[in-house]
Every structure is written in C-alpha cells, then in structure tokens.
Amino acid sequence: GYTLIAAGTHPLCCRGDRVIIEAVEFVIGTLQEVQKTHPYPIVLMGDLNTGYFQPSQQLLRNGQVDADGKSWQIPMTFSDAWAELHPGNPDPSTINDDPVRLDYVYFQK
C-alpha cells in the first residue's frame, strides 16, 4: 500500500484566473505545512474552474508563472494525470461540452 496526502479544492468561479492563482498559493502553502509533519506525496484534486493552459494551472505544473503583472511561485510542482495519459488532448471539456476543462487530478512530482 501507499500513504499519501489527498486534498481537494474548488476555488471561486467566474472571477478570472488571478483568484485561482491566489487559491493555489493558499492551498499549496497549507499542504506544505501538512507535509512537515506527514512527509507523504500529495494528490490534489478538484474543480479548479479554469482551463489547462491558464496561468494557475501552469503554476501547479511548473512551480512558477508570470501572470497578472506578478511573478508567482510555489514550492512544489505537480503532474496532471489526464495530460500525462492524453498528451495530444490535455484540455478536454469536462462541463456540458463547453470547450474548457475544469476538473483535475494532480500528483506531486
């Protein structure tokens, strides 16, 4: 068996990607504190209310992004489970066939 930290999030909808970037910073900061006493890999899941190519998702994958006039950084990076399995289609619709993906499962690298 494996031990891991499972976390879920659902940031505010429809207010732009900056709100989601701020939520990512908060969630990752909280998870970093949890890892100090529970040193296990993180699985982050949620309806993140934004598309794959948006800065907030780049931040999760790369640990850094320049967006909205600011350089954002988080202390860890994640792999997107869907994109790893479907590299030719990383941003499929997950809501009413709208052309955007909202739901994600990220594994800490």
Side-chain angles (χ1 to χ4, degrees):
Y2 295 98
T3 302
L4 55 85
I5 298 167
T9 188
H10 189 183
L12 290 173
C13 177
C14 313
R15 301 222 165 106
D17 202 52
R18 184 183 179 102
V19 172
I20 299 164
I21 292 172
E22 291 169 348
V24 165
E25 270 193 326
F26 175 78
V27 168
I28 297 306
T30 301
L31 291 172
Q32 183 181 28
E33 289 300 312
V34 170
Q35 273 189 323
K36 287 179 181 179
T37 54
H38 305 286
Y40 306 111
I42 296 167
V43 177
L44 177 63
M45 302 161 277
D47 175 344
L48 298 178
N49 286 319
T50 194
Y52 176 84
F53 297 105
Q54 295 301 310
S56 59
Q57 304 315 293
Q58 293 174 29
L59 179 60
L60 281 166
R61 294 189 304 270
N62 302 326
Q64 188 280 329
V65 72
D66 293 327
D68 203 28
K70 183 177 174 181
S71 182
W72 304 84
Q73 292 187 3
I74 57 174
M76 56 188 76
T77 57
F78 293 82
S79 295
D80 177 340
W82 175 269
E84 292 288 322
L85 293 172
H86 305 91
N89 185 21
D91 200 26
S93 174
T94 58
I95 180 169
N96 302 326
D97 294 321
D98 287 338
V100 67
R101 178 174 168 212
L102 303 178
D103 304 311
Y104 296 86
V105 177
Y106 280 108
F107 291 92
Q108 187 178 14
K109 292 181 186 176

mmCIF file of all heavy atoms in Angstrom, residues 1-43:
data_model
loop_
_atom_site.group_PDB
_atom_site.id
_atom_site.type_symbol
_atom_site.label_atom_id
_atom_site.label_comp_id
_atom_site.label_asym_id
_atom_site.label_seq_id
_atom_site.Cartn_x
_atom_site.Cartn_y
_atom_site.Cartn_z
ATOM 1 N N GLY A 1 0.812 -1.182 0.000
ATOM 2 C CA GLY A 1 0.000 0.000 0.000
ATOM 3 C C GLY A 1 0.859 1.249 0.000
ATOM 4 O O GLY A 1 2.047 1.217 0.256
ATOM 5 N N TYR A 2 0.219 2.329 -0.314
ATOM 6 C CA TYR A 2 0.877 3.632 -0.371
ATOM 7 C C TYR A 2 0.210 4.590 0.595
ATOM 8 O O TYR A 2 -0.992 4.541 0.801
ATOM 9 C CB TYR A 2 0.785 4.230 -1.779
ATOM 10 C CG TYR A 2 1.531 3.440 -2.817
ATOM 11 C CD1 TYR A 2 0.868 2.536 -3.632
ATOM 12 C CD2 TYR A 2 2.896 3.611 -2.986
ATOM 13 C CE1 TYR A 2 1.549 1.809 -4.591
ATOM 14 C CE2 TYR A 2 3.583 2.894 -3.939
ATOM 15 C CZ TYR A 2 2.907 1.999 -4.739
ATOM 16 O OH TYR A 2 3.586 1.286 -5.683
ATOM 17 N N THR A 3 1.004 5.449 1.173
ATOM 18 C CA THR A 3 0.478 6.515 2.002
ATOM 19 C C THR A 3 0.655 7.812 1.239
ATOM 20 O O THR A 3 1.707 8.057 0.651
ATOM 21 C CB THR A 3 1.237 6.590 3.338
ATOM 22 O OG1 THR A 3 1.117 5.327 4.006
ATOM 23 C CG2 THR A 3 0.672 7.682 4.219
ATOM 24 N N LEU A 4 -0.380 8.621 1.240
ATOM 25 C CA LEU A 4 -0.323 9.903 0.547
ATOM 26 C C LEU A 4 -1.234 10.893 1.241
ATOM 27 O O LEU A 4 -2.037 10.536 2.096
ATOM 28 C CB LEU A 4 -0.691 9.753 -0.925
ATOM 29 C CG LEU A 4 -2.033 9.098 -1.263
ATOM 30 C CD1 LEU A 4 -3.170 10.097 -1.250
ATOM 31 C CD2 LEU A 4 -1.935 8.450 -2.618
ATOM 32 N N ILE A 5 -1.103 12.134 0.853
ATOM 33 C CA ILE A 5 -1.987 13.195 1.323
ATOM 34 C C ILE A 5 -2.960 13.484 0.193
ATOM 35 O O ILE A 5 -2.537 13.871 -0.906
ATOM 36 C CB ILE A 5 -1.189 14.460 1.684
ATOM 37 C CG1 ILE A 5 -0.212 14.170 2.813
ATOM 38 C CG2 ILE A 5 -2.142 15.601 2.054
ATOM 39 C CD1 ILE A 5 0.821 15.264 3.033
ATOM 40 N N ALA A 6 -4.230 13.269 0.429
ATOM 41 C CA ALA A 6 -5.257 13.556 -0.575
ATOM 42 C C ALA A 6 -5.921 14.877 -0.206
ATOM 43 O O ALA A 6 -6.373 15.063 0.923
ATOM 44 C CB ALA A 6 -6.293 12.440 -0.616
ATOM 45 N N ALA A 7 -5.963 15.794 -1.169
ATOM 46 C CA ALA A 7 -6.548 17.108 -0.924
ATOM 47 C C ALA A 7 -7.479 17.466 -2.064
ATOM 48 O O ALA A 7 -7.226 17.127 -3.220
ATOM 49 C CB ALA A 7 -5.451 18.160 -0.795
ATOM 50 N N GLY A 8 -8.550 18.152 -1.728
ATOM 51 C CA GLY A 8 -9.493 18.623 -2.729
ATOM 52 C C GLY A 8 -9.713 20.111 -2.583
ATOM 53 O O GLY A 8 -9.613 20.659 -1.484
ATOM 54 N N THR A 9 -10.007 20.768 -3.691
ATOM 55 C CA THR A 9 -10.264 22.200 -3.659
ATOM 56 C C THR A 9 -11.263 22.577 -4.750
ATOM 57 O O THR A 9 -11.427 21.853 -5.728
ATOM 58 C CB THR A 9 -8.960 23.011 -3.798
ATOM 59 O OG1 THR A 9 -9.243 24.391 -3.574
ATOM 60 C CG2 THR A 9 -8.319 22.830 -5.159
ATOM 61 N N HIS A 10 -11.930 23.686 -4.541
ATOM 62 C CA HIS A 10 -12.898 24.212 -5.502
ATOM 63 C C HIS A 10 -12.913 25.736 -5.365
ATOM 64 O O HIS A 10 -13.735 26.298 -4.650
ATOM 65 C CB HIS A 10 -14.283 23.622 -5.238
ATOM 66 C CG HIS A 10 -15.277 23.935 -6.297
ATOM 67 N ND1 HIS A 10 -16.586 23.538 -6.199
ATOM 68 C CD2 HIS A 10 -15.186 24.605 -7.464
ATOM 69 C CE1 HIS A 10 -17.253 23.946 -7.262
ATOM 70 N NE2 HIS A 10 -16.415 24.604 -8.038
ATOM 71 N N PRO A 11 -11.961 26.421 -6.040
ATOM 72 C CA PRO A 11 -11.892 27.874 -5.906
ATOM 73 C C PRO A 11 -13.116 28.574 -6.503
ATOM 74 O O PRO A 11 -13.896 27.979 -7.236
ATOM 75 C CB PRO A 11 -10.624 28.249 -6.673
ATOM 76 C CG PRO A 11 -10.181 27.053 -7.395
ATOM 77 C CD PRO A 11 -10.929 25.873 -6.880
ATOM 78 N N LEU A 12 -13.226 29.840 -6.170
ATOM 79 C CA LEU A 12 -14.341 30.648 -6.678
ATOM 80 C C LEU A 12 -14.415 30.597 -8.197
ATOM 81 O O LEU A 12 -13.403 30.606 -8.881
ATOM 82 C CB LEU A 12 -14.176 32.102 -6.245
ATOM 83 C CG LEU A 12 -14.361 32.392 -4.767
ATOM 84 C CD1 LEU A 12 -13.997 33.845 -4.480
ATOM 85 C CD2 LEU A 12 -15.773 32.097 -4.331
ATOM 86 N N CYS A 13 -15.608 30.587 -8.684
ATOM 87 C CA CYS A 13 -15.844 30.516 -10.125
ATOM 88 C C CYS A 13 -16.036 31.900 -10.730
ATOM 89 O O CYS A 13 -16.570 32.812 -10.086
ATOM 90 C CB CYS A 13 -17.097 29.685 -10.389
ATOM 91 S SG CYS A 13 -17.538 29.615 -12.147
ATOM 92 N N CYS A 14 -15.611 31.971 -11.951
ATOM 93 C CA CYS A 14 -16.038 33.031 -12.865
ATOM 94 C C CYS A 14 -15.552 34.418 -12.462
ATOM 95 O O CYS A 14 -16.210 35.416 -12.744
ATOM 96 C CB CYS A 14 -17.547 33.011 -12.996
ATOM 97 S SG CYS A 14 -18.203 31.357 -13.278
ATOM 98 N N ARG A 15 -14.414 34.485 -11.803
ATOM 99 C CA ARG A 15 -13.855 35.785 -11.403
ATOM 100 C C ARG A 15 -12.451 35.979 -11.986
ATOM 101 O O ARG A 15 -11.705 36.820 -11.503
ATOM 102 C CB ARG A 15 -13.808 35.871 -9.881
ATOM 103 C CG ARG A 15 -15.186 35.720 -9.271
ATOM 104 C CD ARG A 15 -15.416 36.684 -8.149
ATOM 105 N NE ARG A 15 -16.838 36.753 -7.845
ATOM 106 C CZ ARG A 15 -17.388 36.205 -6.786
ATOM 107 N NH1 ARG A 15 -16.665 35.540 -5.931
ATOM 108 N NH2 ARG A 15 -18.689 36.333 -6.580
ATOM 109 N N GLY A 16 -12.094 35.169 -12.972
ATOM 110 C CA GLY A 16 -10.780 35.282 -13.588
ATOM 111 C C GLY A 16 -9.765 34.357 -12.943
ATOM 112 O O GLY A 16 -9.988 33.782 -11.881
ATOM 113 N N ASP A 17 -8.630 34.238 -13.603
ATOM 114 C CA ASP A 17 -7.625 33.274 -13.157
ATOM 115 C C ASP A 17 -6.834 33.754 -11.938
ATOM 116 O O ASP A 17 -6.303 32.940 -11.198
ATOM 117 C CB ASP A 17 -6.677 32.935 -14.309
ATOM 118 C CG ASP A 17 -5.978 31.605 -14.104
ATOM 119 O OD1 ASP A 17 -6.666 30.595 -13.853
ATOM 120 O OD2 ASP A 17 -4.739 31.581 -14.171
ATOM 121 N N ARG A 18 -6.757 35.053 -11.704
ATOM 122 C CA ARG A 18 -5.993 35.544 -10.540
ATOM 123 C C ARG A 18 -6.547 34.958 -9.235
ATOM 124 O O ARG A 18 -5.783 34.572 -8.347
ATOM 125 C CB ARG A 18 -5.987 37.061 -10.471
ATOM 126 C CG ARG A 18 -5.120 37.553 -9.318
ATOM 127 C CD ARG A 18 -5.144 39.064 -9.157
ATOM 128 N NE ARG A 18 -4.331 39.463 -8.032
ATOM 129 C CZ ARG A 18 -3.118 39.977 -8.116
ATOM 130 N NH1 ARG A 18 -2.565 40.163 -9.289
ATOM 131 N NH2 ARG A 18 -2.463 40.317 -7.019
ATOM 132 N N VAL A 19 -7.852 34.885 -9.107
ATOM 133 C CA VAL A 19 -8.462 34.310 -7.907
ATOM 134 C C VAL A 19 -8.025 32.858 -7.737
ATOM 135 O O VAL A 19 -7.774 32.397 -6.614
ATOM 136 C CB VAL A 19 -10.002 34.414 -7.983
ATOM 137 C CG1 VAL A 19 -10.669 33.655 -6.858
ATOM 138 C CG2 VAL A 19 -10.432 35.860 -7.989
ATOM 139 N N ILE A 20 -7.889 32.163 -8.837
ATOM 140 C CA ILE A 20 -7.487 30.759 -8.780
ATOM 141 C C ILE A 20 -5.996 30.646 -8.441
ATOM 142 O O ILE A 20 -5.593 29.786 -7.659
ATOM 143 C CB ILE A 20 -7.867 30.041 -10.085
ATOM 144 C CG1 ILE A 20 -9.393 30.107 -10.241
ATOM 145 C CG2 ILE A 20 -7.374 28.601 -10.093
ATOM 146 C CD1 ILE A 20 -9.905 29.795 -11.602
ATOM 147 N N ILE A 21 -5.188 31.537 -8.990
ATOM 148 C CA ILE A 21 -3.768 31.562 -8.624
ATOM 149 C C ILE A 21 -3.623 31.797 -7.125
ATOM 150 O O ILE A 21 -2.833 31.122 -6.449
ATOM 151 C CB ILE A 21 -3.007 32.644 -9.419
ATOM 152 C CG1 ILE A 21 -2.938 32.279 -10.900
ATOM 153 C CG2 ILE A 21 -1.603 32.844 -8.855
ATOM 154 C CD1 ILE A 21 -2.379 33.382 -11.781
ATOM 155 N N GLU A 22 -4.378 32.731 -6.599
ATOM 156 C CA GLU A 22 -4.322 33.002 -5.157
ATOM 157 C C GLU A 22 -4.770 31.782 -4.347
ATOM 158 O O GLU A 22 -4.183 31.475 -3.306
ATOM 159 C CB GLU A 22 -5.175 34.219 -4.821
ATOM 160 C CG GLU A 22 -4.588 35.515 -5.366
ATOM 161 C CD GLU A 22 -5.536 36.704 -5.285
ATOM 162 O OE1 GLU A 22 -6.747 36.510 -5.022
ATOM 163 O OE2 GLU A 22 -5.058 37.843 -5.501
ATOM 164 N N ALA A 23 -5.783 31.089 -4.832
ATOM 165 C CA ALA A 23 -6.232 29.866 -4.157
ATOM 166 C C ALA A 23 -5.146 28.798 -4.207
ATOM 167 O O ALA A 23 -4.905 28.094 -3.215
ATOM 168 C CB ALA A 23 -7.525 29.355 -4.784
ATOM 169 N N VAL A 24 -4.481 28.663 -5.355
ATOM 170 C CA VAL A 24 -3.382 27.701 -5.488
ATOM 171 C C VAL A 24 -2.288 28.019 -4.469
ATOM 172 O O VAL A 24 -1.797 27.125 -3.769
ATOM 173 C CB VAL A 24 -2.820 27.689 -6.931
ATOM 174 C CG1 VAL A 24 -1.465 26.990 -7.000
ATOM 175 C CG2 VAL A 24 -3.808 27.031 -7.888
ATOM 176 N N GLU A 25 -1.908 29.273 -4.361
ATOM 177 C CA GLU A 25 -0.892 29.665 -3.375
ATOM 178 C C GLU A 25 -1.304 29.265 -1.963
ATOM 179 O O GLU A 25 -0.509 28.716 -1.205
ATOM 180 C CB GLU A 25 -0.677 31.180 -3.406
ATOM 181 C CG GLU A 25 0.366 31.648 -4.356
ATOM 182 C CD GLU A 25 0.728 33.099 -4.096
ATOM 183 O OE1 GLU A 25 -0.131 33.909 -3.709
ATOM 184 O OE2 GLU A 25 1.910 33.412 -4.298
ATOM 185 N N PHE A 26 -2.548 29.555 -1.602
ATOM 186 C CA PHE A 26 -3.040 29.228 -0.264
ATOM 187 C C PHE A 26 -3.046 27.722 -0.023
ATOM 188 O O PHE A 26 -2.553 27.239 0.993
ATOM 189 C CB PHE A 26 -4.436 29.799 -0.050
ATOM 190 C CG PHE A 26 -5.044 29.398 1.256
ATOM 191 C CD1 PHE A 26 -4.662 30.022 2.426
ATOM 192 C CD2 PHE A 26 -5.970 28.365 1.317
ATOM 193 C CE1 PHE A 26 -5.201 29.629 3.658
ATOM 194 C CE2 PHE A 26 -6.513 27.972 2.528
ATOM 195 C CZ PHE A 26 -6.131 28.608 3.696
ATOM 196 N N VAL A 27 -3.607 26.974 -0.957
ATOM 197 C CA VAL A 27 -3.719 25.517 -0.798
ATOM 198 C C VAL A 27 -2.333 24.881 -0.725
ATOM 199 O O VAL A 27 -2.072 24.040 0.138
ATOM 200 C CB VAL A 27 -4.559 24.906 -1.942
ATOM 201 C CG1 VAL A 27 -4.444 23.392 -1.975
ATOM 202 C CG2 VAL A 27 -6.011 25.334 -1.809
ATOM 203 N N ILE A 28 -1.436 25.278 -1.602
ATOM 204 C CA ILE A 28 -0.095 24.682 -1.608
ATOM 205 C C ILE A 28 0.660 25.060 -0.337
ATOM 206 O O ILE A 28 1.369 24.242 0.248
ATOM 207 C CB ILE A 28 0.684 25.076 -2.878
ATOM 208 C CG1 ILE A 28 -0.021 24.531 -4.124
ATOM 209 C CG2 ILE A 28 2.130 24.586 -2.797
ATOM 210 C CD1 ILE A 28 -0.299 23.034 -4.128
ATOM 211 N N GLY A 29 0.502 26.292 0.125
ATOM 212 C CA GLY A 29 1.119 26.680 1.398
ATOM 213 C C GLY A 29 0.622 25.837 2.554
ATOM 214 O O GLY A 29 1.400 25.409 3.416
ATOM 215 N N THR A 30 -0.676 25.583 2.572
ATOM 216 C CA THR A 30 -1.263 24.737 3.621
ATOM 217 C C THR A 30 -0.744 23.308 3.512
ATOM 218 O O THR A 30 -0.360 22.693 4.516
ATOM 219 C CB THR A 30 -2.802 24.762 3.518
ATOM 220 O OG1 THR A 30 -3.248 26.118 3.666
ATOM 221 C CG2 THR A 30 -3.439 23.880 4.569
ATOM 222 N N LEU A 31 -0.690 22.783 2.303
ATOM 223 C CA LEU A 31 -0.204 21.413 2.114
ATOM 224 C C LEU A 31 1.275 21.287 2.457
ATOM 225 O O LEU A 31 1.715 20.251 2.970
ATOM 226 C CB LEU A 31 -0.476 20.945 0.685
ATOM 227 C CG LEU A 31 -1.950 20.726 0.359
ATOM 228 C CD1 LEU A 31 -2.135 20.464 -1.135
ATOM 229 C CD2 LEU A 31 -2.531 19.592 1.187
ATOM 230 N N GLN A 32 2.041 22.323 2.204
ATOM 231 C CA GLN A 32 3.457 22.314 2.581
ATOM 232 C C GLN A 32 3.596 22.190 4.098
ATOM 233 O O GLN A 32 4.451 21.441 4.585
ATOM 234 C CB GLN A 32 4.136 23.582 2.080
ATOM 235 C CG GLN A 32 5.617 23.617 2.369
ATOM 236 C CD GLN A 32 6.261 24.898 1.878
ATOM 237 O OE1 GLN A 32 5.632 25.943 1.791
ATOM 238 N NE2 GLN A 32 7.539 24.820 1.553
ATOM 239 N N GLU A 33 2.746 22.878 4.839
ATOM 240 C CA GLU A 33 2.762 22.763 6.300
ATOM 241 C C GLU A 33 2.368 21.351 6.743
ATOM 242 O O GLU A 33 2.975 20.804 7.663
ATOM 243 C CB GLU A 33 1.827 23.803 6.932
ATOM 244 C CG GLU A 33 2.331 25.224 6.832
ATOM 245 C CD GLU A 33 3.669 25.424 7.519
ATOM 246 O OE1 GLU A 33 3.823 24.986 8.686
ATOM 247 O OE2 GLU A 33 4.579 26.006 6.889
ATOM 248 N N VAL A 34 1.378 20.769 6.103
ATOM 249 C CA VAL A 34 0.963 19.398 6.425
ATOM 250 C C VAL A 34 2.116 18.427 6.183
ATOM 251 O O VAL A 34 2.368 17.528 6.990
ATOM 252 C CB VAL A 34 -0.286 18.993 5.612
ATOM 253 C CG1 VAL A 34 -0.582 17.507 5.750
ATOM 254 C CG2 VAL A 34 -1.496 19.830 6.023
ATOM 255 N N GLN A 35 2.846 18.630 5.084
ATOM 256 C CA GLN A 35 3.952 17.726 4.771
ATOM 257 C C GLN A 35 5.086 17.785 5.777
ATOM 258 O O GLN A 35 5.870 16.846 5.872
ATOM 259 C CB GLN A 35 4.502 18.005 3.369
ATOM 260 C CG GLN A 35 3.771 17.244 2.301
ATOM 261 C CD GLN A 35 4.458 17.357 0.956
ATOM 262 O OE1 GLN A 35 5.002 18.394 0.602
ATOM 263 N NE2 GLN A 35 4.402 16.280 0.195
ATOM 264 N N LYS A 36 5.177 18.853 6.535
ATOM 265 C CA LYS A 36 6.235 18.950 7.545
ATOM 266 C C LYS A 36 6.065 17.883 8.625
ATOM 267 O O LYS A 36 7.045 17.379 9.162
ATOM 268 C CB LYS A 36 6.247 20.340 8.178
ATOM 269 C CG LYS A 36 6.789 21.404 7.254
ATOM 270 C CD LYS A 36 6.770 22.768 7.912
ATOM 271 C CE LYS A 36 7.296 23.830 6.963
ATOM 272 N NZ LYS A 36 7.258 25.182 7.566
ATOM 273 N N THR A 37 4.826 17.535 8.931
ATOM 274 C CA THR A 37 4.589 16.508 9.947
ATOM 275 C C THR A 37 4.146 15.175 9.347
ATOM 276 O O THR A 37 4.181 14.152 10.029
ATOM 277 C CB THR A 37 3.527 16.974 10.968
ATOM 278 O OG1 THR A 37 2.350 17.362 10.277
ATOM 279 C CG2 THR A 37 4.053 18.134 11.796
ATOM 280 N N HIS A 38 3.734 15.194 8.101
ATOM 281 C CA HIS A 38 3.300 13.979 7.388
ATOM 282 C C HIS A 38 4.007 13.977 6.032
ATOM 283 O O HIS A 38 3.452 14.457 5.046
ATOM 284 C CB HIS A 38 1.782 13.963 7.212
ATOM 285 C CG HIS A 38 1.037 14.113 8.491
ATOM 286 N ND1 HIS A 38 0.939 13.100 9.416
ATOM 287 C CD2 HIS A 38 0.368 15.170 9.023
ATOM 288 C CE1 HIS A 38 0.232 13.518 10.450
ATOM 289 N NE2 HIS A 38 -0.115 14.772 10.242
ATOM 290 N N PRO A 39 5.233 13.447 5.956
ATOM 291 C CA PRO A 39 6.058 13.562 4.749
ATOM 292 C C PRO A 39 5.678 12.582 3.632
ATOM 293 O O PRO A 39 6.445 11.683 3.287
ATOM 294 C CB PRO A 39 7.463 13.302 5.281
ATOM 295 C CG PRO A 39 7.243 12.375 6.434
ATOM 296 C CD PRO A 39 5.942 12.799 7.062
ATOM 297 N N TYR A 40 4.504 12.780 3.093
ATOM 298 C CA TYR A 40 3.998 11.903 2.042
ATOM 299 C C TYR A 40 3.690 12.721 0.793
ATOM 300 O O TYR A 40 3.431 13.922 0.879
ATOM 301 C CB TYR A 40 2.729 11.177 2.515
ATOM 302 C CG TYR A 40 2.930 10.434 3.803
ATOM 303 C CD1 TYR A 40 2.320 10.851 4.976
ATOM 304 C CD2 TYR A 40 3.763 9.323 3.853
ATOM 305 C CE1 TYR A 40 2.521 10.185 6.174
ATOM 306 C CE2 TYR A 40 3.972 8.651 5.050
ATOM 307 C CZ TYR A 40 3.352 9.080 6.200
ATOM 308 O OH TYR A 40 3.565 8.412 7.375
ATOM 309 N N PRO A 41 3.669 12.073 -0.364
ATOM 310 C CA PRO A 41 3.325 12.795 -1.595
ATOM 311 C C PRO A 41 1.861 13.244 -1.582
ATOM 312 O O PRO A 41 1.012 12.625 -0.943
ATOM 313 C CB PRO A 41 3.588 11.779 -2.708
ATOM 314 C CG PRO A 41 3.621 10.455 -2.043
ATOM 315 C CD PRO A 41 4.000 10.669 -0.611
ATOM 316 N N ILE A 42 1.608 14.308 -2.311
ATOM 317 C CA ILE A 42 0.281 14.923 -2.357
ATOM 318 C C ILE A 42 -0.426 14.561 -3.651
ATOM 319 O O ILE A 42 0.169 14.579 -4.721
ATOM 320 C CB ILE A 42 0.405 16.456 -2.262
ATOM 321 C CG1 ILE A 42 0.996 16.851 -0.922
ATOM 322 C CG2 ILE A 42 -0.943 17.138 -2.496
ATOM 323 C CD1 ILE A 42 1.452 18.299 -0.851
ATOM 324 N N VAL A 43 -1.712 14.269 -3.531
ATOM 325 C CA VAL A 43 -2.604 14.191 -4.681
ATOM 326 C C VAL A 43 -3.611 15.319 -4.484
ATOM 327 O O VAL A 43 -4.318 15.357 -3.479
ATOM 328 C CB VAL A 43 -3.325 12.829 -4.774
ATOM 329 C CG1 VAL A 43 -4.287 12.822 -5.950
ATOM 330 C CG2 VAL A 43 -2.322 11.696 -4.891
#
